[in-house]
Amino acid sequence: MSVWRGNADGGAFETFTVPSRKSQTVLDVVSWIQQSADPTLTYRYACRVGMCGSCAMMVNGEPRWTCRTHVSRVLDGDRLEIAPLRNLPVIKDLAADMDPFFDKWVKAGGAHRPSRSRDEPIQQVSPDERGRVEANKAIECINCSVCYAACDTVAANADYLGPAALQRAWTLYNDVKVEDRNAVLDAVSGRAAA
Ligand code: FES
């Protein structure tokens, strides 16, 4: 198994021999290395069940949730190469700096600005309302940045907002409870947004 080691100044892959286990995930491999071979290996995870998105890494060149990726399904021969997420700066080893990803989320108008104050009654929205139905397609995003790491347009244009930020804007644009939906549209209509 090869794991990328380094920081913002550069690095290289380091090879480890990791015992094979039944139903072993890529996150299991990384955790084994950190717990049994090199405690200085840096990486992130939290939920281990595909809910938080913090364990995303490049696995044999593709971005994946490592807690939900079985080694047996991604082995390329006996090759398993694990690296930090593409299109983001590296902090250390497998931990990418998520700031640019969330900065773009904010730039795309990602914060919810409601049309009513907390003193007013909550606005009722029917599940069948058209905007609600449209937004439903996008509200499951957990901001793991896998789409951002996979995006060739982000790779070619660092100003491009990326799929997650644009998707967030899409949910807000379709949300009748947002105060100024045209402002969301304006936020994503710059030259680099699309
Ligand atoms: S650890 Fe939470 S999604 Fe993998």
Side-chain angles (χ1 to χ4, degrees):
M1 316 280 179
S2 299
V3 174
W4 196 88
R5 308 301 304 275
N7 53 36
D9 297 326
F13 282 96
E14 184 177 350
T15 302
F16 295 89
T17 302
V18 180
S20 176
R21 301 263 190 263
K22 194 171 175 229
S23 302
Q24 187 176 37
T25 65
V26 174
L27 183 60
D28 290 336
V29 167
V30 174
S31 297
W32 186 93
I33 293 170
Q34 198 264 348
Q35 288 161 18
S36 305
D38 185 347
T40 69
L41 178 65
T42 302
Y43 66 109
R44 289 195 198 95
Y45 74 94
C47 71
R48 300 196 86 124
V49 291
M51 290 182 70
C52 73
S54 62
C55 68
M57 301 170 202
M58 304 301 290
V59 180
N60 282 350
E62 290 184 20
R64 293 180 177 277
W65 296 346
T66 56
C67 72
R68 294 292 297 268
T69 302
H70 283 107
V71 171
S72 58
R73 298 203 172 179
V74 291
L75 268 182
D76 180 11
D78 61 355
R79 171 177 163 263
L80 185 70
E81 212 171 73
I82 309 166
L85 282 175
R86 176 181 177 238
N87 292 336
L88 291 165
V90 177
I91 296 174
K92 183 174 176 290
D93 301 336
L94 301 172
D97 181 355
M98 300 293 286
D99 275 359
F101 174 79
F102 286 111
D103 285 348
K104 288 183 179 178
W105 198 87
V106 171
K107 200 170 168 185
H112 184 265
R113 295 194 172 77
S115 55
R116 295 189 184 182
S117 75
R118 63 178 60 202
D119 300 321
E120 293 174 282
I122 295 172
Q123 187 173 349
Q124 300 297 314
V125 179
S126 163
D128 302 325
E129 193 263 334
R130 187 171 172 274
R132 176 70 250 180
V133 172
E134 289 296 329
N136 269 348
K137 297 171 187 165
I139 58 174
E140 300 294 336
C141 175
I142 58 172
N143 290 310
C144 63
S145 199
V146 159
C147 63
Y148 192 84
C151 182
D152 288 338
T153 309
V154 172
N157 178 2
D159 292 331
Y160 180 59
L161 292 170
L166 291 172
Q167 176 171 264
R168 172 63 179 170
W170 172 247
T171 65
L172 294 177
Y173 181 69
N174 283 289
D175 186 347
V176 294
K177 293 185 289 182
V178 167
E179 182 181 29
D180 186 355
R181 288 188 286 160
N182 282 329
V184 178
L185 206 53
D186 289 345
V188 298
S189 299
R191 241 182 81 231

